[in-house]
Amino acid sequence: MEKKTKFTIIYFLIALTVIIVLENYLLSKEITTITYSEFKTLIKDGLINDLVITQTAIEGKFVKGARERLETLRKGKDQTIQPLKETQIFYVVRMDDPDLVKELTEKGITFTAKQEITWFKTLLSWILPMLIFIAIWGYLLKKIGSPGGGGFMAVGKSKAKVYVEGETKITFEDVAGVDEAEEELKEVIEFLKNPQKFQSLGGKIPKGILLVGPPGTGKTLLARAVAGEAKVAFLSISGSDFVEMFVGVGAARVRDLFAQAEKLAPCIIFIDEIDAMGKSRGINPVGGVDEKEQTLTQLLTEMDGFDTKKGVIIMAATNRPEILDQALLRPGRFDRHILVDRPDIKGREEIFKVHTKKVKLGNDVDLKVLASMTPGMVGADIANIVNEAALLAVRKNKDVIEMEDFEEAIERVIAGLEKKSRVINKQERERVAYHESGHAIVASVLPNADPVRRVSIIPRGIAALGYTIQLPTEDRYLLTKSELLDRMAVMLGGKAAEEIIFGEASTGAKNDLDKATEMATSMVRAYGMSDKLGPVSFDKGRPLFLETPWNQQKDYSEFTAREIDEEVKRILIESYQKARQILSERIEKLKQIASVLLEKEVLEGEELKRLIEIGN
Ligand code: ADP
Ligand code: MG
Ligand code: ZN
C-alpha cells in the first residue's frame, strides 16, 4: 500500500517532466530566440513583421534578409546566444520599452497584442502542489488508519487476526517443557469443547487467564495450542496494536474484538504482550485524555460485561506482570495466572525433541547432551539453535545434522544472547549453585527454619539467577525470635557459601542482605528483641509520607540511634557466623549438593533431604 502510493507520485512527476521537455523541444524547433538588441536592430532595418505582443514576450516573423542580417550581427560574438534555426518565426523576451509601439508604427510593421495563455502555467503552479499534497495526505492517512490494510475508512475496525478451527493446527505435542502450565490449561480446553456440559457438571471457569513468563518460553505458542486442542477459533491481537495515534481508536478496536468473538464462540481471545496496553494507569504527565487509558478502560468494561457461559475465554500473555494495572488482575478479570517458566534440563531435552522432529539427525546426536549444554535457554532459543544447526549442515553439504553442527550453533546462539546479557557463563553458574546450596543446607540444618521445598539454578525473572523455596510459603502471623534468627542465617547462607568456596562473595547476595538487614532492624526497632536495648519499640506508627532523613520521625536520642545500629549489626554478624559455621562443617556436603544442582538444575525437597542425611 505504501509502495503503490509512492509509485503513483513518482509516475506523475515523470509524466509531467516528459510533457514539459517534449513541449519545449517541439516549440524550440520552430522558433529562434533572439536578443532584444537584435530585435531592435531588425525593427530599424524593417526585417520583421506580423508581431504578436504579450505581457512578457514578443513573437513574429522574419522578413527576407533577416537571417543574413542576424548572422552578420552575431559574427565574432560569443556563442551563449541561442543559435539561429531554419525557421521564419522568432521569439524575444519583452523589455520595458515605451517607444516600441511608436517605432513599429513608423516602420509600418504590423502587430497585435495578445492576452498571454497563462491558464496552463497557473494550473500547474497550484494544481501540482495540491496533487502532491493530496498524495502525501492520503498516504499518511492510510498509514495511520490501518497498517494491516483497510485504509482510512477502516479506522477503528479491529485487525485482530482470526484463526478459525483447524488453522492454528498447534497442539500440546508442539509445546514441551511446560507440563505444569499445560496441566492447568486442560480444564480450559474441556470447557471450550463443550461449554454447556461443563457448566451443568458444576465446573467453574475463569474468565481471564494470564500467562506469565520470560520472553520465548512459549506463551504465545501455548495459547494457540489451547485453541488447537479445543478446536475452537483463535482471535489474537497484540497489546502493542492498540497503541494508536488517534484517541478512541484503541477502544473501538477492543469493542470490535469482543463483538467478533461473540459471533465466533466458542473461541479464545488472546491478547499478546498485554503490558503494552495494560500498563499501570499513572498520572499522565502530558495531561488530557490518555489513549492507552481509554483502551484499557474499554477492555475492563468488555471483560466485566462478558458472560463466560457463551464460551469465550480471554487469555493474555506478559513477561512483565509487575507493571500491569492492578484493575486487570482483579477477580472476574485476569484472576488466573499461569507461570510459563524457563525449562529445566529435562524440559529442554523435550523441546529439542519437538524441534528436531522434522530434521534428519546424525547418529552421534544426543539430545540429552544438548539440553545440558544450554542452561538458562528458553524454547525460542532452542528453536533457533536447531534452525542454525540445520543451516550449518546444509552449508557443509551434509544430509544429516551432526553433533558438531549443534555445538557450533549453540556457540553462535550463546554469543548472540551474551550481547543481550541473557546467558550466564560457566563460572557464574557454579557460583549460583554454591550460593543456593548454601541457603538450602543452612535451612535444612537449623531447627527453626522452614524446610526447603525446592532449590533451582534456573534463572527466574530479571534479577534472580537461582532460587530456594521454603515451606510454608504462606504468610505467618507470629514468628518467634529464634525463628527470625534462623531465617536470617538461611538468608545469609548464600553469601557464606560463596565466601567459603571462592574466598569472596559476589553482588548476587544483595537481595539476601537487604532482606536480612530489614529483618534485623525490625527485631531491634519494632519487636523489642534486643537484650541490650530492652523491650522498647522505636518504631512509632507509620513513617511520614515522604521518608527522608530530615523529616523522619525520630523520638529517641542520637545515642540510642547508634545503639540500634550497633545491635542490628551484631545480630547480622552473628547470624552470618552461624551460617558460615554450619557450612564450614559440611564443606563436602556443600560441594556434593552444588554439583548435583549443576547437573540437574533443580532439586526437590525430598531429594535434598536425602542428600544431606546420607553419611550424617
Ligand atoms: P513467548 O510468547 O513466550 O515469547 P513464543 O510462544 O513466541 O514465546 O515462542 C517462540 C517460538 O519458540 C515458538 O514459536 C516455538 O517455536 C519456540 N518455543 C518456545 N517455547 C517452546 C516450548 N515450550 N516448546 C516448543 N517450542 C517452543
Ligand atoms: Mg509471544
Ligand atoms: Zn541468595
Side-chain angles (χ1 to χ4, degrees), residues 174-176 178 214-221 351 355 379-380 383:
D174 304 301
V175 194
V178 284
T217 45
K219 298 180 292 298
T220 310
L221 189 69
I351 298 174
H355 284 276

Side-chain angles (χ1 to χ4, degrees), residues 345 372 429-438 441 455 457 501-502 586-603 607-608 611:
I345 190 163
S372 72
R429 222 164 85 82
E430 211 175 312
R431 194 178 266 278
V432 173
Y434 276 104
H435 180 105
E436 297 305 330
S437 304
I441 293 175
V455 197
I457 56 166
I501 302 292
F502 302 101
R586 295 170 178 79
I587 260 193
E588 287 313 313
K589 276 268 129 62
L590 181 62
K591 286 182 180 163
Q592 186 194 358
I593 289 170
S595 75
V596 174
L597 207 48
L598 276 171
E599 184 195 327
K600 289 193 176 170
E601 298 183 348
V602 183
L603 258 179
E607 248 177 308
L608 179 81
L611 282 171

Side-chain angles (χ1 to χ4, degrees), residues 165-212:
E165 176 184 342
E167 258 192 54
T168 81
K169 277 187 187 142
I170 288 176
T171 64
F172 280 165
E173 295 272 291
D174 304 301
V175 194
V178 284
D179 299 340
E180 282 167 45
E182 281 180 19
E183 203 54 48
E184 286 194 59
L185 286 167
K186 281 211 175 109
E187 191 189 16
V188 176
I189 294 167
E190 283 309 309
F191 166 74
L192 285 170
K193 274 184 177 161
N194 200 340
Q196 280 81 29
K197 194 177 149 211
F198 188 90
Q199 253 154 3
S200 66
L201 290 175
K204 200 177 170 300
I205 206 72
K207 215 181 242 182
I209 296 166
L210 185 65
L211 301 176
V212 180

Side-chain angles (χ1 to χ4, degrees), residues 18-314:
V18 168
I19 289 172
I20 290 171
V21 168
L22 217 71
E23 201 178 64
N24 270 344
Y25 175 72
L26 287 174
L27 286 177
S28 63
K29 221 175 158 187
E30 296 165 11
I31 297 177
T32 298
T33 307
I34 60 172
T35 65
Y36 203 77
S37 58
E38 285 167 348
F39 173 65
K40 290 295 270 192
T41 314
L42 291 176
I43 292 175
K44 233 178 266 163
D45 298 349
L47 289 173
I48 48 174
N49 211 344
D50 294 339
L51 304 193
V52 178
I53 303 171
T54 70
Q55 284 108 314
T56 55
I58 301 168
E59 274 179 34
K61 283 183 188 153
F62 291 130
V63 172
K64 213 167 174 217
R67 301 184 56 80
E68 291 72 23
R69 181 80 181 100
L70 277 176
E71 266 161 30
T72 51
L73 271 178
R74 287 188 176 187
K75 206 161 269 171
K77 296 230 175 94
D78 71 58
Q79 290 304 303
T80 49
I81 330 170
Q82 288 206 11
L84 290 171
K85 287 176 192 149
E86 295 295 323
T87 167
Q88 288 302 309
I89 299 168
F90 73 90
Y91 170 93
V92 65
V93 177
R94 192 174 160 184
M95 282 179 73
D96 192 20
D97 187 355
D99 296 332
L100 181 65
V101 176
K102 214 172 102 199
E103 284 170 31
L104 290 175
T105 328
E106 272 172 15
K107 291 283 166 195
I109 298 170
T110 59
F111 62 91
T112 53
K114 197 177 160 194
Q115 196 72 37
E116 214 170 348
I117 316 168
T118 51
W119 65 267
F120 183 66
K121 279 184 197 161
T122 321
L123 210 66
L124 269 190
S125 68
W126 62 270
I127 281 200
L128 186 64
M130 208 167 84
L131 279 178
I132 291 173
F133 174 73
I134 288 173
I136 291 172
W137 186 57
Y139 163 67
L140 284 181
L141 271 186
K142 270 173 196 162
K143 203 176 160 168
I144 296 163
S146 151
F152 183 45
M153 297 312 288
V155 168
K157 188 144 172 59
S158 172
K159 53 185 170 172
K161 279 189 206 108
V162 182
Y163 298 87
V164 192
E165 176 184 342
E167 258 192 54
T168 81
K169 277 187 187 142
I170 288 176
T171 64
F172 280 165
E173 295 272 291
D174 304 301
V175 194
V178 284
D179 299 340
E180 282 167 45
E182 281 180 19
E183 203 54 48
E184 286 194 59
L185 286 167
K186 281 211 175 109
E187 191 189 16
V188 176
I189 294 167
E190 283 309 309
F191 166 74
L192 285 170
K193 274 184 177 161
N194 200 340
Q196 280 81 29
K197 194 177 149 211
F198 188 90
Q199 253 154 3
S200 66
L201 290 175
K204 200 177 170 300
I205 206 72
K207 215 181 242 182
I209 296 166
L210 185 65
L211 301 176
V212 180
T217 45
K219 298 180 292 298
T220 310
L221 189 69
L222 205 53
R224 300 187 65 204
V226 171
E229 288 276 338
K231 295 195 167 59
V232 298
F234 183 69
L235 284 79
S236 90
I237 193 157
S238 171
S240 51
D241 289 349
F242 285 110
V243 185
E244 289 285 342
M245 272 167 91
F246 295 140
V247 170
V249 172
R253 287 208 170 133
V254 172
R255 229 175 291 131
D256 203 59
L257 180 66
F258 277 79
Q260 277 193 55
E262 204 158 338
K263 279 184 224 141
L264 289 167
C267 67
I268 293 175
I269 293 180
F270 179 59
I271 305 172
D272 210 351
E273 288 157 38
I274 194 173
D275 37 285
M277 70 180 285
K279 239 180 240 157
S280 188
R281 289 172 291 186
I283 303 151
N284 183 7
V286 191
V289 195
D290 190 322
E291 161 65 5
K292 252 186 239 153
E293 195 167 312
Q294 256 199 15
T295 311
L296 179 56
T297 310
Q298 186 64 38
L299 176 66
L300 296 176
T301 314
E302 292 288 348
M303 283 189 83
D304 290 343
F306 221 77
D307 194 354
T308 343
K309 286 197 190 89
K310 285 176 188 145
V312 178
I313 294 278
I314 305 155

